[in-house]
Amino acid sequence: MKKALFIAFTIFLLGTNVKAQNGTKFLSLRGGYFFNDAFSTTLSLDISTKYFNQNEIFAEYYQKYGEVKTKSVMGGLVLKPVLWRNVNTAVRLRMGAGLGSNTEKFILAPQAGFEFAQSIGHGFDFLIINRNQYVLFGNLSERWRVGLEAGIRIPIN
């Protein structure tokens, strides 16, 4: 009986595909300042993939002050391959695009930047994100959006 259980358990372990960090999901909330007198708030779902890389599905609210008041809402996808990783720290490259609408028309914004993630315990991460966007079909005076965001990432599974 013990031998049969041992063989069944061994077959089970050999047939199971085990990958660390693959499929872990996080919910993150960030806010930040853009260097053209604007701020943004972002809510995102981060999905971990192989080798600590991540994919992000995001929703962003952007508001600019000054002589031209602009509000935009955008959603999109960002791929985040890891550049450097230590025990509790990861630096990722952010590449992706968002699409949505401002107060006047449809906009499309490819983006790139960096993400610094520091683990603060129990699966929670503190985030600092550099985000550079070029807004297509937007106003000429605000095509480039260069910003810095800070936030927290919370595990949901």
Side-chain angles (χ1 to χ4, degrees):
M1 183 66 173
K2 289 182 184 179
K3 188 175 182 181
L5 285 174
F6 178 74
I7 291 172
F9 184 68
T10 303
I11 291 172
F12 173 74
L13 288 179
L14 291 174
T16 305
N17 192 4
V18 177
K19 295 176 186 163
Q21 289 289 318
N22 197 11
T24 307
K25 294 178 182 65
F26 298 91
L27 188 66
S28 70
L29 180 63
R30 307 185 304 262
Y33 177 76
F34 278 75
F35 297 109
N36 55 354
D37 200 22
F39 76 91
S40 74
T41 303
T42 307
L43 179 67
S44 68
L45 175 68
D46 295 349
I47 303 163
S48 295
T49 60
K50 290 182 182 179
Y51 310 113
F52 299 97
N53 297 325
Q54 290 185 342
N55 298 327
E56 174 183 306
I57 301 166
F58 70 91
E60 167 199 308
Y61 174 76
Y62 171 90
Q63 185 168 358
K64 180 180 179 182
Y65 297 106
E67 61 278 348
V68 178
K69 294 180 178 15
T70 302
K71 295 179 183 177
S72 68
V73 178
M74 204 176 328
L77 177 69
V78 176
L79 304 175
K80 302 189 298 187
V82 70
L83 296 176
W84 178 79
R85 183 180 172 282
N86 198 347
V87 176
N88 293 325
T89 308
V91 176
R92 294 182 179 90
L93 178 66
R94 298 173 44 86
M95 302 173 296
L99 58 102
S101 175
N102 62 10
T103 52
E104 300 160 2
K105 54 188 158 186
F106 169 80
I107 56 174
L108 174 68
Q111 61 178 275
F114 296 98
E115 173 184 281
F116 173 80
Q118 176 67 44
S119 176
I120 54 177
H122 301 290
F124 290 78
D125 291 338
F126 173 70
L127 303 171
I128 297 176
I129 293 174
N130 158 252
R131 195 162 70 188
N132 308 303
Q133 295 178 331
Y134 184 77
V135 180
L136 302 171
F137 315 120
N139 298 333
L140 286 175
S141 64
E142 54 188 49
R143 288 277 170 103
W144 281 103
R145 294 180 179 177
V146 178
L148 192 62
E149 294 182 326
I152 191 163
R153 183 167 37 215
I154 304 163
I156 56 175
N157 65 343

